[in-house]
Amino acid sequence: MTDFPAPSASPADQILTLRAQLHHHAHCYYVLDAPEITDAQYDRLFQELQALEQQHPEWVTPDSPTQRVGGVVLAAFAPVRHAVPMLSIRTETDTEASGAHAFDARVRKALGLADTDPAVVYVAEPKFDGLALSLRYQDGVLVQAATRGDGEVGEDVTQNIRTIGQVPLRLPAGVPAVLEVRGEVYIRRDDFEVLNERQRQRIAQGIKGEKTFVNPRNAAAGAVRQLDPGIAAQRPLSFFAYGVGEVTGAVAPWQTQWELLQALRGWGFPVTELAQRCAGAEELVAHHQKIGALRDALPFDIDGVVYKVDRLDWQRELGFVTREPRWAVAHKYPAQEQTTRVLAIDVQVGRTGKLTPVAKLEPVFVGGVTVTNATLHNELEVQRKDVRVGDSVIVRRAGDVIPEVVAVVAHSNDPTPQARSAIFQMPTRCPVCASAVVREEGEADHRCTGGLFCPAQRKQAILHYAQRRAQDIEGLGEKLVDQLVEGGVIRALPDLYRLGLMALAQLDRMAEKSASNLLQALEHSKQTTLARFIFGLGIRHVGEATAKELARHFGRLDALMEAPEEALLAVHDIGPVVAHSVRTFFEQPHNREVIEQLRACGVTWPEHDGAAPHAPAAGPQPLAGKTLVLTGTLPTLTRDEAQAMIEAAGGKVSGSVSKKTAWVVAGAEAGSKLAKAEALGIAVLDEAGLRALLQAF
Ligand code: IVH
């Protein structure tokens, strides 16, 4: 279904064809997670439809994929009375097996079953930790989405729900004339992490009114009840269907909850794969345990398992008491949020030099494990949440994500602000190596500047130095570096050149042959270039291209090491952030020592007296001043070869697409960079196009 409609078709037919194609591909992408076309192809179809609808606004219908975005900012949500009330579920707080047995016993008794009757069949589904939603379809078209509210009256949030790709805007032919689908809107854990990281960045950039979200459920609730649908559209909402409300105009084609789930899936709704039919209490317990074991690894939060009597006639017979059906129960898992006390706030240094404040906690059982440490992310977050030693705080642990302190619990009997301990401040020296700590303008994180020397960053420094584009030490990979550093064989970078065959051959898995190969590679790497050496130092913001500019400009390492910021700013393409970072790096005595030791070990490169900024290289420079981006796999050229050709022609190669990019060269399996280029209207070339470009001048 990737073809454009035949141009001879009438515009109305073209619109219908495009919509059908877009509906199909949205389902493949959002629900099945199995796209059949690229994002760029989807965008082309979408834009084609948009253009046609702009020419014929009278043909725009609410189920058109173009209507997922936009909408007007509301003053308030309109109330919606639910045709069928949205019930709540009785919770079984007893997280042990007895919870399931008690429920099964109640159901059997209410149905008047004897001990000799067969086991009751249930459907066990995850209890998603989001918020309940009712989607109303008339003649297969989504006409209204409403929150649960008090169960009788909810709010009309249709505009916001339309932005969720997983919610079908139209259903296949043959569905009941009125169909209300009930389910849960939620935010995936990974989407939540990205969302909160983005929020932390915005806070660091000083954007007013921004905050981080406590958990995915709150973020989802905020998005659903967002009056500006433009903002709601930026929140990564997902959806699972698990039930129905009003159904009219056809005999419902199901007799059980299980068949209902299959029907919903068949109509294009996302339905969990984790639902299972269970006969009797024992199978419920086994399922509860199975899902409990999977819980941390799931991509979304769940807070329990819902057991539902499978037969719908029995559900009707059982009915409900005070808004809670007698045919369902929620069997919980340990809570993912708990309160505890902050004993201290430590600072940890990560392998890239990032400093993270970490709360040391009175041990607390959260999300199934005992937690004693929780991240506070960065200084701004600690100060914004005003977390201090001695405070009671809410700790959240969900999945494999590091536990975090999400908020301080306000207590009426808290000491007065003056009596509380001091507000947290990041140290000005690295707690591991005592190098200077910096935070760049607009950045959330503090960093240690002793990259070459800091023990916390040792492994990263060695791997960066050894990589192909730096000293190219073949055979020195992550596992070996782990062994060398953890075994105390290497403490600092220069120790690499002091390795002996004996020490190496004694390491796990290190055969004598590969040990001597590594020694050879190390010896070989001593003859390098200034650009590679500078890149290998791992100075923040100094990538390969910048290292080349610095080498070309200064010619000698000493000249670079002594250069004041003004001199650095004179280098082509170097701005204040990079200049400051380079200066700070070389100001750290420990970094200088390491460089001296490397030279003493025999690491050397040809030097010259420096070049005028941007001295022309030999040959014509048709691409001077142009930046290109390479993405995907080219048919014959390797990335390095393509880059070398571009650089020989005076051009630069950058890792990211921006408005300044002159061309994007795309090969097979080009991803987001290609999409971005297309979005920004930047010219895209293939390999042949690149070759033509280089010859055209
Ligand atoms: S069925 C019993 N199924 O739990 C009929 N609800 O306390 C009503 N929920 O607000 C709901 N996962 O948002 C049902 N698989 C699931 C669910 C589920 C989460 C939520 C729902 C509702 C609450 C009921």
Side-chain angles (χ1 to χ4, degrees), residues 634-637 665-666 685-695:
L634 299 178
T636 70
L637 291 172
V665 183
L685 303 173
D686 58 7
E687 183 180 313
L690 173 65
R691 291 182 190 276
L693 178 71
L694 291 168
Q695 280 158 14

Side-chain angles (χ1 to χ4, degrees), residues 39 46 49 62 169 297 312 403 420 454 476 562 572 575 589 603 613 660 662:
D39 290 4
F46 191 89
L49 175 61
L169 296 178
L312 298 183
R420 287 174 74 201
C454 184
L476 193 58
E562 303 313 324
H572 177 67
V603 178
K660 292 196 188 131

Side-chain angles (χ1 to χ4, degrees), residues 337-416:
E337 283 167 24
Q338 289 292 354
T339 51
T340 186
R341 230 166 54 86
V342 177
L343 303 176
I345 298 179
D346 284 1
V347 174
Q348 284 178 1
V349 186
R351 52 187 283 148
T352 60
K354 174 180 175 252
L355 270 64
T356 307
V358 175
K360 300 275 144 184
L361 305 168
E362 220 156 64
V364 63
F365 190 67
V366 201
V369 304
T370 301
V371 165
T372 53
N373 293 317
T375 181
L376 286 157
H377 298 290
N378 61 49
E379 183 188 61
L380 287 170
E381 280 291 281
V382 192
Q383 294 178 349
R384 198 180 56 81
K385 292 172 182 160
D386 195 18
V387 179
R388 308 197 193 186
V389 174
D391 285 353
S392 289
V393 291
I394 298 172
V395 177
R396 170 180 154 84
R397 179 194 165 274
D400 299 327
V401 182
I402 303 165
E404 60 169 352
V405 173
V406 293
V408 173
V409 190
H411 283 305
S412 51
N413 58 353
D414 260 358
T416 56

